[in-house]
Amino acid sequence: MSGSSPAARLQQLFEGRRLTPTQRRIAHSMVRRAGDAPFLSSVELAELAGVSQPSVTRFAVALGFDGYPALRRHLREVTPAGPAAGAGEDTYNEYQQAVHAEIENLRHLAELLADPGPVERAGRLLAASRPLPVLGLRAASSQARGFGYFAAKVHPDVRVLDEGGSMLHDRIDAARRAGASALICFALPRHPREVVDALAYAREQGLAVVSVADSAFAPVAGHSDLLIPAAVGTGLAFDTACAPMLLGRVLLESMCDALPDAQARLEEFDARAAARGLFVE
């Protein structure tokens, strides 16, 4: 633990805990402000997470501490450095702050990827699934479509599920009957209930679920066999999703590594595209 980042240490503290949605929100806020977390008062943390002060106290108790002061003492013991993440933020305008927040999200993702094991496991699961369903609704639909577009260049059968409604379970059934063994889901806030229900159904049908979500405590966590978090930016009117998009590309790379004919398929596509004059040089 001593060599891990503050965000990683917080993730380890929260892992395996049965937290309520409000408590997951507090945990997510602490991870996003990992450098400052040991120095925040309960009032400051409540304001940061948009919850009540008693909710912060209940959160600390749920983690096994006598109260929030005990949790904060513990965080100070395992966090050697003082708060620095927010230094200089007040010199930036709101647009610059949003960019810097996304840079910080990418730093957290880089730290997470120091252990390539989960991504490599995900790549093998996705490569082995024929067909490969790719689920993403509402805010996450663009992530699903982008992943599906590139995945189709190397995977023989990719099925993007980017529309909800009564047909969603039917399309999961069809993929399972055709031989699918895994499903990848992009889950971003606000989390549609349909996505949670669809993942529960997919697992009931025997599919392994790989999820890219904004937090390890996202509502899809309980219905995922493997969840890899990538935070979204929340400083603008609409969330920004640079880290989830990059994680999707990383998973594509891992999937390519697990597909023996991926390079041949890419070269074949390039040859066809050149013959058709598909792209302008």
Side-chain angles (χ1 to χ4, degrees), residues 6-281:
R9 288 193 288 272
L10 281 172
Q11 291 279 16
Q12 291 172 3
L13 177 63
F14 303 144
E15 280 176 1
R17 305 284 184 173
R18 294 181 62 86
L19 301 177
T20 68
T22 295
Q23 290 166 353
R24 288 198 299 268
R25 185 171 183 175
I26 297 170
H28 179 49
S29 297
M30 292 180 73
V31 170
R32 289 189 67 248
R33 292 283 297 276
D36 296 330
F39 307 94
L40 296 173
S41 69
S42 59
V43 173
E44 290 170 330
L45 179 56
E47 292 178 352
L48 180 65
V51 301
S52 66
Q53 186 178 4
S55 293
V56 172
T57 301
R58 289 192 291 270
F59 169 72
V61 172
L63 294 177
F65 296 94
D66 292 337
Y68 182 72
L71 169 59
R72 189 166 63 171
R73 281 196 300 272
H74 172 77
L75 294 180
R76 289 180 176 180
E77 290 171 1
V78 300
T79 304
E89 280 189 1
D90 56 356
T91 65
Y92 299 121
N93 63 43
E94 61 178 312
Y95 311 122
Q96 291 175 299
Q97 288 179 26
V99 172
H100 282 284
E102 282 290 52
I103 292 171
E104 189 63 24
N105 287 341
L106 291 173
R107 287 198 184 101
H108 289 163
L109 179 59
E111 293 167 358
L112 181 72
L113 295 176
D115 176 9
V119 167
E120 292 172 350
R121 179 187 167 203
R124 291 191 296 269
L125 286 170
L126 302 180
S129 185
R130 303 284 198 284
L132 173 61
V134 182
L135 174 63
L137 302 183
R138 294 186 180 267
S141 61
S142 60
Q143 303 290 331
R145 286 194 297 270
F147 182 95
Y149 171 78
F150 290 110
K153 296 181 184 298
V154 294
H155 192 288
D157 191 353
V158 177
R159 304 186 183 186
V160 176
L161 312 179
D162 59 352
E163 295 182 0
S166 61
M167 294 291 290
L168 184 54
H169 284 199
D170 293 345
R171 297 176 71 188
I172 292 173
D173 280 337
R176 187 71 181 97
R177 287 195 302 270
S181 56
L183 175 151
I184 180 169
C185 172
F186 290 87
L188 302 179
R190 301 174 65 184
H191 295 274
R193 185 181 302 276
E194 279 184 297
V195 170
V196 177
D197 293 343
L199 292 191
Y201 183 74
R203 294 183 82 196
E204 288 174 4
Q205 303 312 305
L207 292 175
V209 172
V210 175
S211 291
V212 171
D214 60 299
S215 164
F217 315 103
V220 299
H223 303 289
S224 302
D225 296 282
L226 178 59
L227 185 149
I228 307 177
V232 300
T234 58
L236 302 176
F238 299 101
D239 290 345
T240 51
C242 295
M245 182 186 69
L246 180 54
L247 179 54
R249 299 299 186 267
V250 169
L251 289 170
L252 279 168
E253 185 75 10
S254 178
M255 187 181 75
C256 287
D257 291 341
L259 287 168
D261 58 347
Q263 186 59 40
R265 285 179 176 271
L266 284 173
E267 291 174 0
E268 180 184 355
F269 172 81
D270 286 341
R272 290 199 310 267
R276 294 167 56 193
L278 193 57
F279 302 112
V280 177
E281 298 297 335

